[in-house]
Coordinates of all heavy atoms in Angstrom, one line a residue:
M194 N 1.7 -9.7 -5.9 CA 2.0 -10.9 -6.6 C 0.7 -11.8 -6.4 O 0.3 -11.9 -5.3 CB 3.2 -11.5 -5.9 CG 3.6 -12.9 -6.5 SD 4.6 -12.7 -7.9 CE 5.8 -11.5 -7.4
V195 N 0.3 -12.3 -7.5 CA -0.9 -13.2 -7.5 C -0.5 -14.5 -8.1 O 0.1 -14.7 -9.2 CB -2.1 -12.6 -8.3 CG1 -3.3 -13.6 -8.3 CG2 -2.5 -11.4 -7.8
E196 N -0.8 -15.7 -7.3 CA -0.4 -17.0 -7.7 C -1.6 -17.8 -7.3 O -2.1 -17.9 -6.1 CB 0.9 -17.5 -7.1 CG 1.5 -18.7 -7.8 CD 1.0 -20.0 -7.3 OE1 0.6 -20.1 -6.2 OE2 0.9 -20.9 -8.2
S197 N -2.2 -18.6 -8.3 CA -3.4 -19.5 -8.0 C -4.5 -18.7 -7.3 O -5.2 -19.3 -6.4 CB -3.0 -20.7 -7.3 OG -2.0 -21.4 -7.9
G198 N -4.7 -17.5 -7.7 CA -5.8 -16.7 -7.1 C -5.5 -16.0 -5.8 O -6.4 -15.4 -5.2
N199 N -4.3 -16.4 -5.2 CA -4.0 -15.9 -3.9 C -2.9 -14.7 -4.1 O -2.2 -14.8 -5.0 CB -3.3 -16.9 -3.1 CG -4.2 -18.0 -2.7 OD1 -5.4 -17.9 -2.3 ND2 -3.8 -19.3 -3.0
T200 N -3.1 -13.7 -3.3 CA -2.2 -12.6 -3.4 C -1.2 -12.6 -2.3 O -1.5 -12.8 -1.2 CB -3.1 -11.3 -3.2 OG1 -4.1 -11.3 -4.3 CG2 -2.2 -10.0 -3.4
F201 N 0.1 -12.3 -2.7 CA 1.2 -12.3 -1.8 C 2.0 -11.0 -2.0 O 2.1 -10.5 -3.1 CB 2.2 -13.4 -2.0 CG 1.6 -14.8 -2.0 CD1 0.9 -15.4 -3.2 CD2 1.5 -15.5 -0.8 CE1 0.2 -16.6 -3.0 CE2 0.9 -16.7 -0.8 CZ 0.3 -17.3 -1.8
S202 N 2.6 -10.5 -1.0 CA 3.6 -9.5 -1.1 C 5.0 -10.1 -0.8 O 5.2 -10.8 0.1 CB 3.3 -8.5 0.1 OG 4.2 -7.4 0.0
I203 N 5.9 -9.7 -1.8 CA 7.3 -10.3 -1.7 C 8.2 -9.2 -1.5 O 8.2 -8.3 -2.3 CB 7.6 -11.2 -2.9 CG1 6.6 -12.4 -3.0 CG2 9.0 -11.6 -3.1 CD1 6.8 -13.3 -4.1
E204 N 9.1 -9.4 -0.6 CA 10.2 -8.4 -0.4 C 11.5 -9.1 -0.9 O 11.8 -10.2 -0.5 CB 10.4 -8.0 1.0 CG 9.1 -7.1 1.5 CD 9.3 -6.6 2.9 OE1 10.5 -6.5 3.3 OE2 8.3 -6.3 3.5
T205 N 12.3 -8.4 -1.6 CA 13.6 -8.8 -2.1 C 14.5 -7.7 -2.2 O 14.1 -6.5 -1.8 CB 13.4 -9.7 -3.4 OG1 14.7 -10.1 -3.8 CG2 13.0 -8.7 -4.5
F206 N 15.7 -7.9 -2.7 CA 16.6 -6.7 -2.9 C 17.3 -6.9 -4.3 O 17.4 -8.0 -4.8 CB 17.6 -6.5 -1.7 CG 18.4 -7.8 -1.4 CD1 19.6 -8.1 -2.0 CD2 17.9 -8.6 -0.5 CE1 20.2 -9.2 -1.7 CE2 18.6 -9.7 -0.1 CZ 19.8 -10.1 -0.8
E207 N 17.8 -5.8 -4.8 CA 18.4 -5.8 -6.1 C 19.4 -6.9 -6.2 O 20.3 -7.1 -5.3 CB 19.0 -4.4 -6.4 CG 19.2 -4.2 -7.8 CD 19.3 -2.7 -8.2 OE1 18.5 -2.0 -7.7 OE2 20.1 -2.4 -9.0
N208 N 19.4 -7.6 -7.2 CA 20.3 -8.8 -7.6 C 20.2 -9.9 -6.6 O 21.1 -10.8 -6.7 CB 21.7 -8.2 -7.7 CG 21.7 -7.2 -8.9 OD1 21.1 -7.3 -9.9 ND2 22.5 -6.1 -8.6
E209 N 19.2 -10.1 -5.7 CA 19.1 -11.3 -4.9 C 18.9 -12.4 -5.8 O 19.3 -13.5 -5.6 CB 18.0 -11.1 -3.9 CG 17.9 -12.4 -3.0 CD 16.8 -12.3 -1.9 OE1 15.9 -11.5 -2.1 OE2 16.9 -13.1 -1.0
Y210 N 18.1 -12.2 -6.8 CA 17.7 -13.3 -7.8 C 18.2 -12.8 -9.2 O 18.2 -11.6 -9.5 CB 16.3 -13.6 -7.9 CG 15.8 -14.2 -6.6 CD1 15.3 -13.4 -5.6 CD2 15.9 -15.6 -6.4 CE1 14.8 -14.0 -4.4 CE2 15.4 -16.2 -5.2 CZ 14.9 -15.4 -4.2 OH 14.4 -16.0 -3.1
R211 N 18.6 -13.7 -10.1 CA 19.1 -13.4 -11.4 C 18.0 -12.7 -12.2 O 18.2 -11.7 -13.0 CB 19.4 -14.7 -12.1 CG 20.1 -14.5 -13.5 CD 20.8 -15.7 -13.9 NE 20.1 -17.0 -13.7 CZ 19.5 -17.6 -14.6 NH1 19.4 -17.2 -15.8 NH2 18.9 -18.8 -14.2
N212 N 16.7 -13.1 -12.0 CA 15.5 -12.3 -12.7 C 14.2 -12.8 -12.0 O 14.3 -13.6 -11.0 CB 15.6 -12.7 -14.1 CG 15.5 -14.3 -14.5 OD1 14.7 -14.9 -13.8 ND2 16.3 -14.7 -15.3
L213 N 13.2 -12.2 -12.4 CA 11.8 -12.5 -11.8 C 11.5 -14.0 -11.9 O 10.8 -14.5 -11.0 CB 10.8 -11.6 -12.4 CG 9.4 -11.7 -11.9 CD1 9.4 -11.3 -10.3 CD2 8.4 -10.9 -12.6
M214 N 11.8 -14.6 -13.0 CA 11.4 -16.1 -13.2 C 12.1 -16.8 -12.0 O 11.4 -17.6 -11.4 CB 11.9 -16.5 -14.5 CG 11.7 -18.0 -14.8 SD 12.9 -19.1 -14.3 CE 14.2 -18.7 -15.5
V215 N 13.4 -16.6 -11.7 CA 14.1 -17.4 -10.7 C 13.4 -17.1 -9.3 O 13.3 -18.0 -8.6 CB 15.6 -17.1 -10.7 CG1 16.3 -17.7 -9.6 CG2 16.2 -17.4 -12.1
L216 N 13.1 -15.8 -9.1 CA 12.4 -15.5 -7.8 C 11.2 -16.2 -7.7 O 10.9 -16.8 -6.6 CB 12.2 -14.0 -7.7 CG 11.6 -13.4 -6.5 CD1 12.0 -12.0 -6.3 CD2 10.0 -13.5 -6.5
L217 N 10.4 -16.3 -8.7 CA 9.0 -16.9 -8.6 C 9.2 -18.4 -8.5 O 8.4 -19.0 -7.7 CB 8.2 -16.5 -9.9 CG 7.8 -15.1 -10.0 CD1 7.1 -14.8 -11.3 CD2 6.9 -14.6 -8.8
K218 N 10.0 -19.0 -9.2 CA 10.3 -20.4 -9.0 C 10.7 -20.8 -7.6 O 10.3 -21.8 -7.0 CB 11.4 -20.9 -9.9 CG 10.9 -21.3 -11.4 CD 12.0 -21.8 -12.2 CE 12.3 -23.3 -12.0 NZ 11.5 -24.1 -12.9
D219 N 11.6 -19.9 -7.1 CA 12.0 -20.1 -5.6 C 10.9 -20.0 -4.6 O 10.8 -20.7 -3.7 CB 13.2 -19.2 -5.3 CG 13.8 -19.4 -4.0 OD1 14.3 -20.5 -3.7 OD2 13.9 -18.4 -3.1
K220 N 10.1 -19.0 -4.8 CA 9.0 -18.7 -3.8 C 7.8 -19.6 -3.9 O 7.2 -19.8 -2.9 CB 8.6 -17.1 -3.9 CG 9.7 -16.2 -3.7 CD 10.0 -16.1 -2.3 CE 11.1 -14.9 -2.1 NZ 11.7 -14.9 -0.8
F221 N 7.5 -20.0 -5.1 CA 6.3 -20.7 -5.3 C 6.5 -22.2 -5.8 O 5.5 -22.8 -6.1 CB 5.4 -20.0 -6.3 CG 4.9 -18.6 -5.7 CD1 5.5 -17.4 -6.3 CD2 4.1 -18.5 -4.6 CE1 5.1 -16.2 -5.7 CE2 3.7 -17.3 -4.1 CZ 4.3 -16.2 -4.6
Y222 N 7.7 -22.6 -6.0 CA 7.9 -24.0 -6.4 C 7.2 -24.4 -7.6 O 6.3 -25.4 -7.7 CB 7.6 -25.0 -5.2 CG 8.2 -24.6 -4.0 CD1 7.4 -24.0 -2.9 CD2 9.5 -24.8 -3.7 CE1 8.0 -23.6 -1.7 CE2 10.1 -24.4 -2.5 CZ 9.4 -23.9 -1.5 OH 9.9 -23.5 -0.4
L223 N 7.3 -23.6 -8.6 CA 6.7 -23.7 -10.0 C 7.4 -24.7 -10.8 O 8.4 -24.4 -11.4 CB 6.4 -22.4 -10.6 CG 5.8 -21.3 -9.8 CD1 5.9 -20.0 -10.4 CD2 4.3 -21.6 -9.5
D224 N 6.9 -26.0 -11.0 CA 7.6 -27.0 -11.7 C 7.8 -26.7 -13.2 O 8.9 -26.9 -13.7 CB 6.9 -28.4 -11.6 CG 7.0 -28.9 -10.3 OD1 8.0 -28.6 -9.5 OD2 6.2 -29.8 -9.9
L225 N 6.8 -26.3 -13.9 CA 6.9 -26.1 -15.3 C 7.2 -24.7 -15.8 O 7.1 -24.3 -16.9 CB 5.6 -26.6 -16.0 CG 5.2 -28.0 -15.7 CD1 3.8 -28.3 -16.2 CD2 6.3 -29.0 -16.2
F226 N 7.6 -23.9 -14.8 CA 7.8 -22.5 -15.1 C 9.3 -22.3 -15.4 O 10.2 -22.7 -14.7 CB 7.5 -21.7 -13.8 CG 7.3 -20.2 -13.9 CD1 6.2 -19.7 -14.5 CD2 8.2 -19.3 -13.5 CE1 5.9 -18.3 -14.5 CE2 8.1 -18.0 -13.5 CZ 6.9 -17.5 -14.0
G227 N 9.5 -21.6 -16.5 CA 10.9 -21.3 -16.9 C 11.7 -22.4 -17.4 O 12.8 -22.6 -17.1
E228 N 11.2 -23.1 -18.4 CA 11.8 -24.4 -18.9 C 13.0 -24.1 -19.7 O 13.9 -25.0 -19.7 CB 10.8 -25.2 -19.7 CG 9.7 -25.8 -18.8 CD 9.0 -27.0 -19.4 OE1 8.9 -27.1 -20.7 OE2 8.6 -27.9 -18.7
C229 N 13.2 -23.0 -20.3 CA 14.5 -22.7 -21.1 C 15.6 -22.1 -20.2 O 16.6 -21.8 -20.7 CB 14.2 -21.9 -22.3 SG 13.9 -20.2 -22.0
G230 N 15.2 -22.0 -18.9 CA 16.2 -21.5 -18.0 C 16.5 -20.0 -18.1 O 17.5 -19.6 -17.5
G231 N 15.6 -19.3 -18.7 CA 15.8 -17.9 -18.8 C 16.4 -17.3 -20.1 O 16.8 -16.1 -20.2
M232 N 16.3 -18.1 -21.1 CA 16.9 -17.7 -22.4 C 15.8 -16.8 -23.1 O 16.2 -16.2 -24.2 CB 17.2 -18.9 -23.3 CG 18.2 -19.8 -22.7 SD 19.8 -19.1 -22.8 CE 20.1 -19.0 -24.4
G233 N 14.6 -16.8 -22.7 CA 13.5 -16.0 -23.3 C 13.0 -16.6 -24.6 O 12.5 -15.9 -25.4
R234 N 13.1 -17.9 -24.7 CA 12.6 -18.7 -25.8 C 11.4 -19.6 -25.6 O 10.7 -19.9 -26.5 CB 13.7 -19.5 -26.4 CG 14.9 -18.6 -26.8 CD 15.9 -19.4 -27.7 NE 17.0 -18.7 -28.0 CZ 17.1 -17.8 -29.0 NH1 16.0 -17.5 -29.8 NH2 18.2 -17.1 -29.3
C235 N 11.1 -20.0 -24.4 CA 10.1 -21.1 -24.2 C 8.7 -20.5 -23.9 O 7.7 -21.2 -24.1 CB 10.5 -22.1 -23.1 SG 10.6 -21.3 -21.5
A236 N 8.7 -19.3 -23.4 CA 7.4 -18.7 -23.0 C 6.6 -19.4 -21.9 O 5.4 -19.4 -21.8 CB 6.5 -18.4 -24.1
T237 N 7.3 -20.2 -21.0 CA 6.7 -20.9 -19.9 C 6.8 -20.1 -18.6 O 6.4 -20.5 -17.6 CB 7.3 -22.3 -19.7 OG1 8.7 -22.0 -19.3 CG2 7.2 -23.1 -20.9
C238 N 7.2 -18.8 -18.8 CA 7.3 -18.0 -17.6 C 6.5 -16.8 -17.7 O 6.9 -15.7 -17.2 CB 8.8 -17.6 -17.3 SG 9.5 -16.6 -18.7
L239 N 5.3 -16.9 -18.3 CA 4.4 -15.7 -18.5 C 3.9 -15.2 -17.3 O 3.4 -15.9 -16.4 CB 3.3 -16.1 -19.4 CG 3.7 -16.6 -20.9 CD1 2.4 -17.0 -21.6 CD2 4.4 -15.5 -21.6
V240 N 3.9 -13.8 -17.2 CA 3.3 -13.2 -16.1 C 2.6 -11.9 -16.7 O 2.9 -11.4 -17.7 CB 4.3 -12.6 -15.0 CG1 4.9 -13.8 -14.2 CG2 5.4 -11.8 -15.7
R241 N 1.5 -11.5 -15.9 CA 0.8 -10.3 -16.3 C 1.3 -9.2 -15.3 O 1.2 -9.5 -14.1 CB -0.7 -10.4 -16.3 CG -1.4 -9.2 -16.7 CD -2.9 -9.4 -16.6 NE -3.4 -10.6 -17.3 CZ -3.5 -10.7 -18.6 NH1 -3.3 -9.7 -19.5 NH2 -3.9 -11.9 -19.2
V242 N 1.8 -8.1 -15.7 CA 2.3 -7.2 -14.8 C 1.7 -5.8 -15.0 O 1.2 -5.4 -16.0 CB 3.9 -7.0 -15.1 CG1 4.6 -8.2 -14.8 CG2 4.2 -6.4 -16.4
S243 N 1.7 -5.0 -13.9 CA 1.4 -3.6 -13.9 C 2.2 -2.8 -12.9 O 2.6 -3.4 -11.9 CB -0.2 -3.4 -13.7 OG -0.5 -3.9 -12.4
G244 N 2.5 -1.6 -13.2 CA 3.2 -0.8 -12.2 C 4.8 -0.9 -12.3 O 5.4 -0.5 -11.4
I245 N 5.3 -1.5 -13.4 CA 6.7 -1.5 -13.6 C 7.1 -0.2 -14.2 O 6.5 0.3 -15.1 CB 7.0 -2.7 -14.5 CG1 6.8 -4.0 -13.8 CG2 8.5 -2.7 -15.0 CD1 7.2 -5.3 -14.5
R246 N 8.3 0.2 -13.8 CA 8.8 1.5 -14.2 C 10.1 1.3 -14.9 O 10.8 0.3 -15.0 CB 9.0 2.4 -13.0 CG 7.7 2.7 -12.1 CD 8.1 3.6 -11.0 NE 9.1 3.1 -10.1 CZ 9.0 2.6 -8.9 NH1 7.8 2.5 -8.4 NH2 9.9 2.1 -8.3
G247 N 10.6 2.5 -15.4 CA 12.0 2.6 -16.0 C 12.2 1.7 -17.2 O 11.3 1.4 -17.9
K248 N 13.4 1.3 -17.3 CA 13.8 0.5 -18.5 C 13.2 -0.8 -18.5 O 12.9 -1.4 -19.5 CB 15.4 0.3 -18.5 CG 16.1 1.5 -18.9 CD 17.6 1.1 -19.2 CE 18.4 1.4 -18.0 NZ 19.9 1.1 -18.2
S249 N 12.8 -1.3 -17.3 CA 12.1 -2.7 -17.2 C 10.7 -2.6 -17.9 O 10.3 -3.7 -18.2 CB 11.9 -3.1 -15.8 OG 13.2 -3.1 -15.2
A250 N 10.2 -1.5 -18.2 CA 8.9 -1.4 -18.8 C 8.9 -1.7 -20.3 O 7.9 -2.0 -21.0 CB 8.3 0.0 -18.6
L251 N 10.2 -1.7 -20.8 CA 10.4 -2.0 -22.3 C 10.8 -3.4 -22.5 O 11.6 -4.0 -21.7 CB 11.6 -1.1 -22.8 CG 11.4 0.5 -22.6 CD1 12.6 1.2 -22.9 CD2 10.1 0.9 -23.3
K252 N 10.2 -4.0 -23.5 CA 10.6 -5.4 -23.8 C 11.8 -5.3 -24.8 O 11.8 -4.5 -25.7 CB 9.4 -6.0 -24.6 CG 8.2 -6.2 -23.7 CD 7.0 -6.7 -24.5 CE 5.8 -6.7 -23.6 NZ 4.5 -6.9 -24.3
N253 N 12.9 -6.2 -24.5 CA 13.9 -6.2 -25.4 C 14.5 -7.6 -25.4 O 13.9 -8.5 -24.9 CB 15.0 -5.2 -25.0 CG 15.4 -5.2 -23.5 OD1 15.5 -6.3 -23.0 ND2 15.7 -4.1 -22.9
R254 N 15.7 -7.8 -25.9 CA 16.3 -9.1 -26.1 C 15.3 -10.0 -26.8 O 14.7 -9.6 -27.9 CB 16.8 -9.7 -24.8 CG 17.9 -8.8 -24.2 CD 18.5 -9.5 -22.9 NE 17.5 -9.6 -21.8 CZ 17.3 -8.7 -20.8 NH1 18.0 -7.5 -20.9 NH2 16.4 -8.9 -19.9
N255 N 15.1 -11.2 -26.5 CA 14.2 -12.2 -27.1 C 12.7 -12.0 -26.8 O 11.9 -12.6 -27.5 CB 14.6 -13.6 -26.7 CG 15.9 -14.0 -27.2 OD1 16.4 -13.5 -28.3 ND2 16.6 -15.0 -26.6
E256 N 12.4 -11.1 -25.9 CA 11.1 -11.1 -25.4 C 10.0 -10.7 -26.5 O 9.0 -11.5 -26.6 CB 11.0 -10.1 -24.2 CG 9.6 -10.2 -23.5 CD 9.6 -9.4 -22.3 OE1 10.5 -8.5 -22.1 OE2 8.7 -9.6 -21.4
P257 N 10.2 -9.7 -27.3 CA 9.1 -9.3 -28.2 C 8.9 -10.5 -29.2 O 7.8 -10.8 -29.6 CB 9.7 -8.1 -29.0 CG 10.6 -7.5 -28.1 CD 11.2 -8.7 -27.3
A258 N 10.0 -11.1 -29.7 CA 9.9 -12.2 -30.7 C 9.2 -13.4 -30.1 O 8.3 -14.0 -30.8 CB 11.2 -12.6 -31.2
T259 N 9.5 -13.8 -28.9 CA 8.9 -14.9 -28.3 C 7.4 -14.7 -28.0 O 6.6 -15.6 -28.3 CB 9.7 -15.3 -27.0 OG1 11.0 -15.6 -27.3 CG2 9.0 -16.4 -26.2
L260 N 7.1 -13.5 -27.5 CA 5.6 -13.2 -27.3 C 4.9 -13.2 -28.5 O 3.7 -13.7 -28.6 CB 5.5 -11.9 -26.5 CG 6.0 -12.0 -25.0 CD1 6.0 -10.6 -24.4 CD2 5.2 -12.9 -24.2
S261 N 5.5 -12.7 -29.6 CA 4.9 -12.6 -30.9 C 4.6 -14.0 -31.4 O 3.6 -14.3 -32.0 CB 5.7 -11.8 -31.8 OG 5.3 -11.9 -33.2
K262 N 5.6 -14.9 -31.3 CA 5.5 -16.3 -31.7 C 4.3 -17.1 -31.1 O 3.7 -17.9 -31.8 CB 6.9 -17.0 -31.4 CG 7.2 -18.2 -32.2 CD 8.6 -18.6 -32.2 CE 9.2 -18.7 -30.8 NZ 10.6 -19.1 -30.7
I263 N 4.0 -16.7 -29.9 CA 2.8 -17.4 -29.3 C 1.6 -16.6 -29.4 O 0.5 -17.0 -28.9 CB 3.0 -17.7 -27.8 CG1 3.2 -16.4 -27.0 CG2 4.2 -18.6 -27.5 CD1 3.1 -16.6 -25.5
G264 N 1.6 -15.5 -30.3 CA 0.4 -14.8 -30.6 C -0.1 -13.8 -29.6 O -1.1 -13.4 -29.5
C265 N 0.8 -13.5 -28.6 CA 0.5 -12.6 -27.5 C 0.7 -11.1 -27.9 O 1.7 -10.7 -28.3 CB 1.4 -12.9 -26.3 SG 1.0 -11.8 -25.0
T266 N -0.4 -10.4 -27.9 CA -0.4 -8.9 -28.3 C -0.7 -8.1 -27.0 O -0.7 -6.9 -27.2 CB -1.4 -8.7 -29.4 OG1 -2.7 -9.1 -29.0 CG2 -1.0 -9.4 -30.7
D267 N -0.9 -8.7 -25.9 CA -1.3 -7.9 -24.6 C 0.0 -7.4 -24.1 O 0.9 -8.1 -23.8 CB -2.0 -9.0 -23.7 CG -2.4 -8.3 -22.4 OD1 -1.9 -7.2 -22.1 OD2 -3.3 -8.8 -21.7
N268 N 0.1 -6.0 -24.0 CA 1.3 -5.3 -23.5 C 1.5 -5.7 -22.1 O 2.7 -5.4 -21.6 CB 1.2 -3.8 -23.8 CG 1.9 -3.5 -25.0 OD1 2.7 -4.2 -25.6 ND2 1.7 -2.2 -25.4
S269 N 0.6 -6.1 -21.3 CA 0.8 -6.3 -19.9 C 1.5 -7.6 -19.7 O 1.9 -8.1 -18.6 CB -0.4 -6.1 -19.1 OG -1.3 -7.2 -19.4
V270 N 1.5 -8.5 -20.7 CA 2.0 -9.8 -20.5 C 3.6 -9.8 -20.8 O 4.0 -9.2 -21.8 CB 1.4 -10.9 -21.5 CG1 2.1 -12.2 -21.4 CG2 -0.1 -11.0 -21.2
R271 N 4.3 -10.4 -19.9 CA 5.8 -10.3 -20.0 C 6.4 -11.7 -19.8 O 5.7 -12.6 -19.1 CB 6.4 -9.4 -19.0 CG 5.9 -7.9 -19.0 CD 6.4 -7.2 -20.3 NE 7.8 -7.2 -20.4 CZ 8.6 -6.2 -19.9 NH1 8.1 -5.2 -19.3 NH2 10.0 -6.3 -20.1
L272 N 7.6 -11.9 -20.1 CA 8.3 -13.1 -19.8 C 9.1 -12.8 -18.5 O 9.9 -11.8 -18.4 CB 9.4 -13.4 -20.9 CG 8.8 -13.7 -22.3 CD1 10.0 -13.9 -23.2 CD2 8.0 -14.9 -22.2
A273 N 8.8 -13.5 -17.4 CA 9.4 -13.2 -16.1 C 10.9 -13.3 -16.2 O 11.7 -12.5 -15.5 CB 8.9 -14.1 -15.1
C274 N 11.5 -14.1 -17.0 CA 12.9 -14.3 -17.1 C 13.6 -13.1 -17.7 O 14.8 -12.9 -17.6 CB 13.3 -15.5 -17.9 SG 12.9 -15.4 -19.6
Q275 N 12.9 -12.2 -18.3 CA 13.5 -11.0 -19.0 C 13.4 -9.8 -18.0 O 13.7 -8.7 -18.4 CB 12.8 -10.7 -20.3 CG 13.0 -11.9 -21.3 CD 14.4 -12.3 -21.6 OE1 15.2 -11.5 -22.0 NE2 14.8 -13.5 -21.2
L276 N 12.8 -10.0 -16.9 CA 12.7 -8.9 -15.9 C 13.7 -9.0 -14.8 O 13.6 -10.0 -14.1 CB 11.3 -8.8 -15.4 CG 10.2 -8.4 -16.4 CD1 8.7 -8.6 -15.8 CD2 10.3 -7.0 -16.7
L277 N 14.6 -8.1 -14.8 CA 15.6 -8.2 -13.7 C 15.1 -7.6 -12.4 O 14.2 -6.8 -12.4 CB 16.9 -7.4 -14.2 CG 17.5 -7.8 -15.5 CD1 18.7 -6.9 -15.8 CD2 17.9 -9.3 -15.5
I278 N 15.7 -8.1 -11.3 CA 15.2 -7.7 -10.0 C 15.9 -6.3 -9.7 O 17.0 -6.3 -9.2 CB 15.5 -8.7 -9.0 CG1 14.9 -10.1 -9.3 CG2 15.0 -8.2 -7.6 CD1 13.4 -10.0 -9.4
T279 N 15.1 -5.2 -10.0 CA 15.7 -3.9 -9.8 C 14.6 -3.0 -9.1 O 13.5 -3.5 -8.9 CB 16.1 -3.2 -11.1 OG1 14.9 -2.9 -11.8 CG2 17.0 -4.0 -11.9
H280 N 14.9 -1.9 -8.8 CA 14.0 -1.0 -8.1 C 12.8 -0.6 -9.1 O 11.7 -0.1 -8.7 CB 14.5 0.4 -7.7 CG 15.5 0.1 -6.5 ND1 14.9 -0.3 -5.3 CD2 16.9 0.2 -6.4 CE1 16.0 -0.4 -4.5 NE2 17.1 -0.2 -5.1
D281 N 13.0 -1.0 -10.4 CA 11.8 -0.7 -11.4 C 10.6 -1.6 -11.0 O 9.5 -1.3 -11.4 CB 12.3 -1.1 -12.8 CG 13.3 -0.1 -13.4 OD1 13.5 0.9 -12.9 OD2 13.8 -0.5 -14.5
L282 N 10.8 -2.6 -10.2 CA 9.8 -3.5 -9.9 C 9.1 -3.2 -8.5 O 8.1 -3.8 -8.1 CB 10.2 -5.0 -9.8 CG 10.8 -5.6 -11.1 CD1 11.1 -7.1 -10.9 CD2 9.9 -5.4 -12.3
D283 N 9.7 -2.2 -7.9 CA 9.1 -1.7 -6.5 C 7.6 -1.4 -6.6 O 7.2 -0.7 -7.5 CB 9.8 -0.4 -6.0 CG 11.2 -0.8 -5.4 OD1 11.5 -2.0 -5.3 OD2 11.9 0.1 -5.1
G284 N 6.8 -2.2 -5.9 CA 5.4 -1.9 -5.8 C 4.6 -2.5 -7.1 O 3.4 -2.2 -7.2
A285 N 5.2 -3.2 -8.0 CA 4.6 -3.7 -9.2 C 3.6 -4.8 -8.8 O 3.8 -5.5 -7.7 CB 5.7 -4.3 -10.1
H286 N 2.6 -4.9 -9.5 CA 1.6 -6.1 -9.3 C 1.9 -7.1 -10.4 O 1.9 -6.8 -11.6 CB 0.2 -5.5 -9.5 CG -0.9 -6.5 -9.3 ND1 -1.4 -7.2 -10.3 CD2 -1.5 -6.9 -8.2 CE1 -2.3 -8.1 -9.8 NE2 -2.3 -7.9 -8.5
I287 N 2.1 -8.3 -10.0 CA 2.5 -9.4 -11.0 C 1.7 -10.6 -10.7 O 1.5 -11.1 -9.6 CB 4.1 -9.8 -10.7 CG1 4.9 -8.5 -10.9 CG2 4.4 -11.0 -11.5 CD1 6.3 -8.6 -10.4
E288 N 1.1 -11.1 -11.8 CA 0.3 -12.2 -11.8 C 0.8 -13.3 -12.5 O 1.1 -13.1 -13.7 CB -1.2 -11.8 -12.3 CG -2.2 -12.9 -12.2 CD -3.6 -12.5 -12.6 OE1 -3.8 -11.3 -12.7 OE2 -4.4 -13.4 -12.8
I289 N 1.0 -14.5 -11.9 CA 1.6 -15.6 -12.7 C 0.4 -16.3 -13.5 O -0.6 -16.6 -13.0 CB 2.0 -16.6 -11.6 CG1 3.2 -16.0 -10.8 CG2 2.6 -17.9 -12.3 CD1 3.6 -16.8 -9.6
F290 N 0.7 -16.6 -14.7 CA -0.3 -17.3 -15.6 C -0.4 -18.7 -15.0 O 0.6 -19.3 -14.7 CB 0.2 -17.3 -17.0 CG -0.3 -16.2 -17.9 CD1 0.0 -14.9 -17.5 CD2 -1.0 -16.4 -19.1 CE1 -0.4 -13.8 -18.2 CE2 -1.4 -15.3 -19.8 CZ -1.1 -14.0 -19.4
P291 N -1.7 -19.2 -15.0 CA -1.9 -20.6 -14.6 C -1.0 -21.5 -15.4 O -1.0 -21.4 -16.6 CB -3.4 -20.8 -14.8 CG -4.0 -19.4 -14.9 CD -2.9 -18.5 -15.5
Q292 N -0.5 -22.5 -14.8 CA 0.3 -23.5 -15.5 C -0.5 -24.7 -15.9 O -1.5 -25.0 -15.3 CB 1.5 -24.0 -14.6 CG 2.4 -23.0 -14.3 CD 3.6 -23.6 -13.5 OE1 3.5 -23.9 -12.3 NE2 4.8 -23.7 -14.1
E293 N -0.3 -25.2 -17.1 CA -1.0 -26.4 -17.7 C -0.5 -27.7 -17.2 O 0.5 -27.8 -16.8 CB -1.0 -26.2 -19.2 CG -1.7 -24.9 -19.6 CD -1.6 -24.8 -21.2 OE1 -1.3 -25.7 -21.9 OE2 -1.9 -23.7 -21.6
Ligands
FES305 S1 12.3 -19.1 -19.0 FE1 12.0 -19.5 -21.1 S2 11.1 -17.7 -21.9 FE2 11.5 -17.3 -19.8

């Protein structure tokens, strides 16, 4: 996990948090992160990810449309609110986009 240029290792367990956005807000006190509350519409919970496995590697629900709306074509960029806390994230590298 990378936040403000610093690297952290976070341990959690399946379903401890509703999704990755909620986990990141809790761990890093990110004020402007996740403004729509996890609906997948605001794109304020952007993260760059690598090492995600399984079904979590696929974008679904509102994620493709929201990323397309902001002009994002980078496959490694995801909405943290659309990533559930499952074993698919074990060992994943996640970088929080700098907040404006
Ligand atoms: S919290 Fe709004 S898109 Fe993720």
Side-chain angles (χ1 to χ4, degrees):
M194 180 83 50
V195 178
E196 199 271 329
S197 299
N199 298 311
T200 302
F201 302 88
S202 178
I203 293 179
E204 290 186 26
T205 185
F206 53 87
E207 199 158 318
N208 300 319
E209 181 181 17
Y210 292 94
R211 185 162 44 101
N212 56 47
L213 181 62
M214 179 272 289
V215 175
L216 181 153
L217 295 174
K218 276 183 80 93
D219 183 56
K220 299 289 185 189
F221 298 108
Y222 309 104
L223 305 168
D224 287 339
L225 304 174
F226 196 75
E228 292 202 326
C229 75
M232 299 293 290
R234 297 192 184 281
C235 69
T237 61
C238 64
L239 295 176
V240 289
R241 184 179 308 280
V242 300
S243 61
I245 289 182
R246 301 182 304 255
K248 284 193 267 182
S249 299
L251 305 173
K252 296 173 184 166
N253 53 37
R254 298 185 295 271
N255 291 333
E256 190 170 18
T259 298
L260 290 172
S261 166
K262 204 164 45 181
I263 63 168
C265 179
T266 56
D267 184 337
N268 260 347
S269 68
V270 175
R271 301 292 304 268
L272 299 176
C274 68
Q275 301 300 298
L276 291 168
L277 303 179
I278 304 301
T279 69
H280 291 291
D281 289 353
L282 302 187
D283 283 350
H286 183 265
I287 298 161
E288 183 176 347
I289 301 168
F290 270 58
Q292 294 184 288
E293 295 175 14

